Amino acid sequence: MTQPTKDGGLMYPESPSQTAGPYVHIGLALEVAGLPPRDDEIGPTIATTAAEGEPIEIVGTVIDGNGDAVEDILVEAWQADANGVYQTDFRTDRAFRGFGRSAPGENDAGQWSFQSVKPGRVTHPNGGEMAPHINLMLFARGINIHLNTRLHFDDESTANAACPFFNGLPPSRRDTLVARRESDGETARYRFEIHLQGPQETLFFDF
Amino acid sequence: MAQNDRTAFVMRDRGWHPRPYAPAYKTTVARSPQQSLVSLQTPTASELTGPDFDNFVLGPVDNDLLLNFRPGTDRDGLPIGERIIVYGRVVDQYNKPVPGTLVEIWQANAGGRYRHKKDAYMAPLDPNFGGVGRTVTDADGWYRFRTIKPGPYPWPNDVNSWRPAHIHVSVMGPAISTRLITQLYFEGDPLIPLCPIMHTLNDPDAIDTLVARLDKAGSRPMDSLAYRFDIVTRGALQTYFENQG
Ligand SMILES: [Fe+3]
């Protein structure tokens, strides 16, 4: 169960993941389960309209290998603020929170959504600026260990083309990470379809 | 934590974690990626940071599932079932405590029924039990919940699949690299070796690490039994970016 480390100590194995199951909402998205919310909940508002930056809405569905929407999906999002800084101090009394959770309700046909602001560019450790992106994590019944992906923006093609991260990915699969701007107005809405399998399978990361 | 952007983590051992594609657990067939995951050779701030919950405001009974569904009611309003304390430590792979991490749990009631719109199992709901709790680990990584022992329940997989009694456990922080959702099982449950979800793990030792141990000494006489469940998150490799020179 343990293996020696370089310094002669013992290293324990990480606790193994298990599926979040069909009732993940009871614990992490109470209203979707039908439970009364507590005073402070982590919800689909990553940033309010009072936060600095361009207000955006992200909507999407997760499609399984049969072509069906995964209606029990729980999506978590983590992003930098409009200046490209990760704000790690999470509190719901702030306009910019950086972290959110979203799950489709009963009548949403599997569609989830987040309210946020367009993230800024984050510096890559090897140099250069990464294109604006949102980190997403997916949890559901039948997903034994959560899936990590990134959402990029189709109206940031210059930033995407110059992004040291994006450009390191297999060219044929980069497009699976790009959300489409589908409406303007006060809050631009982007749609991001995630495919778990098939010819359009979304690129998932191991990190 | 302030040092988040300076910390990388021990590589995740995906052979130790459950297989994503595990046909005996039928839902995995259409929900597991078929392409390889893409490994990040150079983790960035995007993966090495995450929300920190030091200033997240929790309610006084958020970690007490005996009381938190109907806060303010008296003893007549207690849930049915075996009263238990579930506690333990969140440590990293080097046995260093992980303070300030958000631990969230959810579970079925004593009859194996979840308080969820979509759970239609015939076992009744308990009017005094919601089945959700949360807490933040203290400076030494400890967490603690009071609840009832959940019942096993049947589920549509094979014609006669039953889940062992379990509590779902979510650990968030310090970084999204350490994000983990798992399940806590109970020592001695005969359903553990029969469960298709347990069979998604390759190594019997991995199953063993998810089994909470009865801790008689930690129990409260004439009140509650205690179960100890320690959680290990990925080992923190300090000052990562400094070492990049
Ligand atoms: Fe369950």
Side-chain angles (χ1 to χ4, degrees):
Chain A
M1 265 174 63
T2 55
Q3 49 188 307
T5 57
K6 271 186 289 192
D7 61 2
L10 288 173
M11 191 173 84
Y12 294 95
E14 186 185 8
S15 294
S17 173
Q18 292 274 270
T19 178
Y23 305 124
V24 58
H25 318 99
I26 295 175
L28 307 185
L30 280 66
E31 274 177 286
V32 172
L35 283 155
R38 295 158 292 195
D39 288 346
D40 233 355
E41 290 290 351
I42 301 167
T45 303
I46 302 170
T48 70
T49 48
E52 184 185 348
E54 181 195 349
I56 61 170
E57 184 187 8
I58 307 287
V59 299
T61 46
V62 177
I63 309 293
D64 71 14
N66 302 323
D68 297 323
V70 178
E71 295 192 6
D72 54 316
I73 198 79
L74 176 88
V75 184
E76 287 186 345
W78 173 239
Q79 69 162 78
D81 67 15
N83 299 311
V85 176
Y86 283 100
Q87 298 281 351
T88 58
D89 180 21
F90 183 85
R91 41 208 302 176
T92 51
D93 60 359
R94 257 159 109 126
F96 183 82
R97 299 168 192 169
F99 180 61
R101 286 176 175 157
S102 181
E106 239 175 341
N107 304 314
D108 297 336
Q111 182 168 294
W112 45 268
S113 66
F114 287 103
Q115 281 238 285
S116 193
V117 290
K118 177 87 76 80
R121 298 182 184 200
V122 175
T123 304
H124 192 278
N126 292 347
E129 299 290 313
M130 293 192 284
H133 65 275
I134 301 177
N135 310 288
L136 299 177
M137 294 169 274
L138 310 180
F139 302 85
R141 170 176 70 103
I143 297 179
N144 287 332
I145 180 162
H146 62 278
L147 298 168
N148 295 302
T149 190
R150 279 192 187 192
L151 177 160
H152 283 252
F153 297 88
D154 70 340
D155 54 1
E156 295 284 349
S157 50
T158 311
N160 288 336
C163 174
F165 183 93
F166 196 68
N167 284 323
L169 303 175
S172 61
R173 302 194 62 209
R174 287 176 200 163
D175 199 46
T176 68
L177 303 185
V178 180
R180 311 281 161 207
R181 185 168 178 133
E182 65 173 20
S183 84
D184 298 330
E186 244 166 73
T187 300
R189 186 168 71 234
Y190 295 84
R191 182 168 294 277
F192 189 49
E193 301 296 1
I194 297 174
H195 293 265
L196 299 179
Q197 297 181 349
Q200 300 165 270
E201 184 177 314
T202 300
L203 196 160
F204 298 108
F205 296 107
D206 185 13
F207 55 71
Chain B
M1 265 158 272
Q3 288 97 334
N4 270 352
D5 58 349
R6 312 172 75 81
T7 303
F9 299 93
V10 173
M11 196 177 78
R12 187 160 253 163
D13 180 356
R14 292 194 178 257
W16 170 257
H17 282 288
R19 295 182 304 283
Y21 174 78
Y25 174 18
K26 293 181 179 177
T27 319
T28 66
V29 173
R31 292 186 171 188
S32 49
Q34 292 167 326
Q35 303 275 340
S36 308
L37 301 181
V38 171
S39 292
L40 299 195
Q41 300 302 333
T42 306
T44 74
S46 298
E47 295 79 39
L48 301 181
T49 58
D52 148 17
F53 296 96
D54 282 348
N55 294 312
F56 186 53
V57 181
L58 300 180
V61 287
D62 278 5
N63 71 337
D64 189 347
L65 285 73
L66 297 184
L67 298 180
N68 71 13
F69 189 60
R70 284 186 171 177
T73 58
D74 62 16
R75 289 184 62 87
D76 293 338
L78 291 170
I80 287 169
E82 293 175 43
R83 296 161 61 88
I84 60 171
I85 294 160
V86 171
Y87 81 104
R89 255 182 124 191
V90 182
V91 295
D92 79 0
Q93 289 176 271
Y94 298 104
N95 206 26
K96 276 202 276 195
V98 181
T101 197
L102 181 65
V103 181
E104 295 163 285
I105 67 170
W106 64 100
Q107 64 167 92
N109 69 22
R113 172 80 181 268
Y114 281 102
R115 186 172 285 280
H116 190 290
K117 281 179 183 168
K118 290 196 171 162
D119 188 358
Y121 180 38
M122 66 177 74
L125 284 170
D126 183 330
N128 299 311
F129 191 69
V132 52
R134 61 183 179 183
T135 191
V136 171
T137 54
D138 72 13
D140 297 312
W142 292 97
Y143 73 92
R144 185 180 188 86
F145 292 99
R146 200 162 72 133
T147 186
I148 51 96
K149 193 172 175 189
Y153 58 84
W155 59 298
N157 187 62
D158 301 322
V159 287
N160 192 21
S161 293
W162 289 75
R163 294 303 327 280
H166 63 277
I167 298 177
H168 296 268
V169 182
S170 162
V171 182
M172 180 76 233
I176 68 165
S177 287
T178 59
R179 184 77 180 96
L180 182 70
I181 289 186
T182 188
Q183 298 181 33
L184 171 164
Y185 301 91
F186 292 89
E187 183 177 7
D189 189 334
L191 292 169
I192 292 173
L194 306 179
C195 177
I197 289 179
M198 310 286 339
H199 294 164
T200 64
L201 290 160
N202 294 315
D203 190 330
D205 283 347
I207 295 176
D208 198 54
T209 63
L210 296 180
V211 177
R213 298 293 191 265
L214 176 66
D215 175 17
K216 191 86 186 306
S219 65
R220 294 179 67 116
M222 306 305 289
D223 183 335
S224 312
L225 283 172
Y227 284 88
R228 169 88 184 252
F229 185 68
D230 289 345
I231 299 164
V232 182
T233 61
R234 291 169 68 183
L237 304 165
Q238 294 299 329
T239 61
Y240 176 79
F241 286 124
E242 277 177 0
N243 292 343
Q244 300 294 294

